[in-house]
Amino acid sequence: AHPRYFNQLSTGLDMVGLAADWLTSTANTNMFTYEVAPVFVLLEYVSLKKMREIIGWPDGRGDGIFSPGGAISNMYAMLLARFKMFPEVKEKGMSSVPRLVAFTSEHSHFSIKKGAAALGIGTESVICIKADESGKMIPADLERRILEAKQKGFVPFFVSATAGTTVYGAFDPLIAISDICKKYNIWMHVDGAWGGSLLMSRRHRWKLDGVERANSVTWNPHKMMSVPLQCSALLVREEVNSISRQHAMHACYLFQQDKHYDLSYDTGDKALQCGRHVDIFKLWLMWRAKVGVVRFSILFLSSLVAFVFLQPQHTNVCFWYLPPGIRYMEDKEEKKKHLHKVAPVIKARMMEYGTTMVSYQPQGDKVNFFRMVISNPAATFQDIDFLIEEIERLGQDL
């Protein structure tokens, strides 16, 4: 739990996290039937219901499942959206349905396209919607692209809005997107893998206004809520067992239909995989210990030699470092050309010295910049000061 590993930690944030890992390893059972994991099945049931209540769905009604990560949760949502519109696809396959198209922000996570590839819809059927300067999806462009797709004879079936984009930490305008989805009868999914935990924050929850209108939501407690990997949930507004209808194969050696208990507790038939880890135990244990409090900080980087070009919306801080060699260059194109090489060199030196870890990337017309993501609650302002000083030390000769 070194404070200078600023991004999420897989494990060991505190004693509760360590205890969760240890207890989970000792309770290494499977989640496919109630009889082999009765306590964990019930923990998952009550926790998913509570998460749906927090989203804003009345009485926590709906469905849900814990999955290996946000990418799989997003793919589950695509599967459900397709099944809702064309249930025959489960037996007859893609040849039985028209050309489907999905929509997502150009700043969205790559898992949306990966899910389309896995489902046989194809990555070319994912239409990327323009984002504004802050990284938020532009609703007017979404509606325009939906109409274009319909005119071409395609069938829009899925819109994925993002609550906390990977790069800028942007939150798409969920209310406006919901209005468009309702107008054209399209499944609305909210990928809140990164920013969904702000639902637990009185101060920042407004960034997800409209999330209760979504058909499905991805929420990763293993990110901002400090739960050890892996712990990702797909929450669905549809009635109970909506996921089971999509995935169930009724294998008679596991899922006998004449058992003496409620068969909905046999959750194995809801999942794509058969064996499923008891991920819920980590969340439940920490939830009980921390009384639902999410710890996170937005730490603003400021320095004479660092330029934050985007007001942070989440814990993502994007900035350039301007080394002495290019700080006063007047030629803009030449300056950009040199600036593009700065972050990779400094990152390589960081790795060689082993002092800290920061990622970098280009985005659109912006040359390579540092993308500082802070979700480690052990980080302090002193650590941020160290980071800036270390970047300056490693880049002063560039």
Side-chain angles (χ1 to χ4, degrees):
H2 197 289
R4 288 172 189 164
Y5 188 88
F6 296 98
N7 204 346
Q8 67 201 56
L9 294 178
S10 298
T11 184
L13 287 175
D14 50 25
M15 289 305 294
V16 175
L18 290 170
D21 263 2
W22 179 80
L23 286 170
T24 302
S25 67
T26 60
N28 191 28
T29 187
N30 206 317
M31 286 285 287
F32 49 62
T33 61
Y34 176 74
E35 59 249 55
V36 299
V39 173
F40 298 119
V41 166
L42 295 177
L43 290 183
E44 184 175 68
Y45 176 84
V46 298
S47 298
L48 288 170
K49 185 175 186 292
K50 182 63 177 178
M51 294 171 83
R52 292 192 297 267
E53 289 175 359
I54 292 170
I55 287 172
W57 295 330
D59 301 320
R61 289 194 296 269
D63 205 352
I65 191 170
F66 281 86
S67 78
I72 302 300
S73 292
N74 288 339
M75 187 172 71
Y76 273 140
M78 297 187 81
L79 279 163
L80 288 169
R82 185 179 65 176
F83 182 74
K84 176 76 173 180
M85 188 173 286
F86 297 102
E88 64 271 23
V89 75
K90 180 178 179 180
E91 288 81 23
K92 298 179 180 179
M94 286 298 294
S95 62
S96 66
V97 301
R99 171 73 181 274
L100 302 178
V101 288
F103 304 84
T104 192
S105 165
E106 61 182 346
H107 285 205
S108 68
H109 194 264
F110 66 85
S111 60
I112 304 302
K113 284 191 174 182
K114 182 174 282 191
L119 269 61
I121 297 168
T123 58
E124 291 184 358
S125 294
V126 177
I127 298 173
C128 292
I129 307 304
K130 292 180 181 177
D132 62 20
E133 281 298 309
S134 66
K136 299 178 181 180
M137 184 194 294
I138 300 174
D141 191 55
L142 171 62
E143 185 164 21
R144 180 180 69 84
R145 299 303 297 274
I146 289 173
L147 290 172
E148 282 183 359
K150 290 170 72 70
Q151 288 170 1
K152 293 177 181 178
F154 303 154
V155 178
F157 82 107
F158 182 81
V159 172
S160 179
T162 309
T165 59
T166 307
V167 181
Y168 289 170
F171 289 76
D172 287 341
L174 303 183
I175 293 175
I177 292 170
S178 170
D179 289 341
I180 294 170
C181 290
K182 183 177 181 180
K183 182 176 179 180
Y184 296 102
N185 193 28
I186 304 173
W187 183 286
M188 177 186 172
H189 174 64
V190 174
D191 177 7
W194 180 220
S197 295
L198 294 194
L199 289 167
M200 305 284 283
S201 168
R202 294 186 184 92
R203 181 179 176 186
H204 295 281
R205 182 189 169 90
W206 64 269
K207 296 174 184 177
L208 287 102
D209 283 351
V211 67
E212 71 283 354
R213 300 187 184 189
N215 297 93
S216 57
V217 177
T218 291
W219 181 351
N220 283 12
H222 68 227
K223 292 186 175 173
M224 295 303 294
M225 290 175 69
S226 304
V227 176
L229 275 172
Q230 60 194 34
C231 190
S232 172
L234 174 72
L235 295 311
V236 185
R237 194 178 65 190
E238 297 287 306
E239 64 274 15
V240 175
N241 294 330
S242 58
I243 302 176
S244 293
R245 288 197 303 275
Q246 157 67 40
H247 297 143
M249 291 295 148
H250 306 297
C252 61
Y253 74 98
L254 282 177
F255 310 117
Q256 300 90 350
Q257 298 303 294
D258 55 358
K259 291 181 178 180
H260 68 286
Y261 57 79
D262 185 343
L263 297 180
S264 67
Y265 289 148
D266 284 353
T267 57
D269 230 5
K270 293 172 66 172
L272 286 173
Q273 74 250 48
C274 179
R276 192 158 67 91
H277 200 255
V278 290
D279 298 324
I280 180 55
F281 191 36
K282 293 170 284 189
L283 173 60
W284 180 86
L285 187 64
M286 294 185 72
W287 208 331
R288 296 291 295 179
K290 295 177 181 292
V291 200
V293 176
V294 179
R295 298 183 299 169
F296 63 91
S297 302
I298 295 181
L299 305 178
F300 294 90
L301 297 179
S302 60
S303 170
L304 293 175
V305 295
F307 174 52
V308 179
F309 63 79
L310 185 75
Q311 182 70 18
Q313 301 169 61
H314 196 27
T315 65
N316 306 42
V317 183
C318 302
F319 65 99
W320 287 295
Y321 166 69
L322 306 178
I326 67 171
R327 201 170 299 168
Y328 303 108
M329 277 187 179
E330 294 183 3
D331 187 305
K332 291 184 179 179
E333 288 305 312
E334 189 69 14
K335 189 172 187 176
K336 284 177 65 174
K337 185 178 177 181
H338 281 76
L339 185 58
H340 185 67
K341 300 176 182 179
V342 170
V345 172
I346 293 177
K347 173 62 181 287
R349 292 176 178 179
M350 284 179 176
M351 294 180 69
E352 291 168 1
Y353 280 98
T355 50
T356 188
M357 292 183 68
V358 186
S359 63
Y360 71 88
Q361 70 168 87
Q363 179 75 44
D365 62 348
K366 295 179 174 64
V367 299
N368 278 327
F369 55 85
F370 287 108
R371 181 176 68 94
M372 185 67 186
V373 182
I374 306 168
S375 60
N376 180 357
T380 66
F381 281 101
Q382 287 73 28
D383 296 310
I384 299 299
D385 290 339
F386 169 83
L387 169 72
I388 295 173
E389 292 167 2
E390 185 69 355
I391 289 174
E392 186 172 14
R393 181 182 75 86
L394 296 174
Q396 63 182 343
D397 62 332
L398 299 178

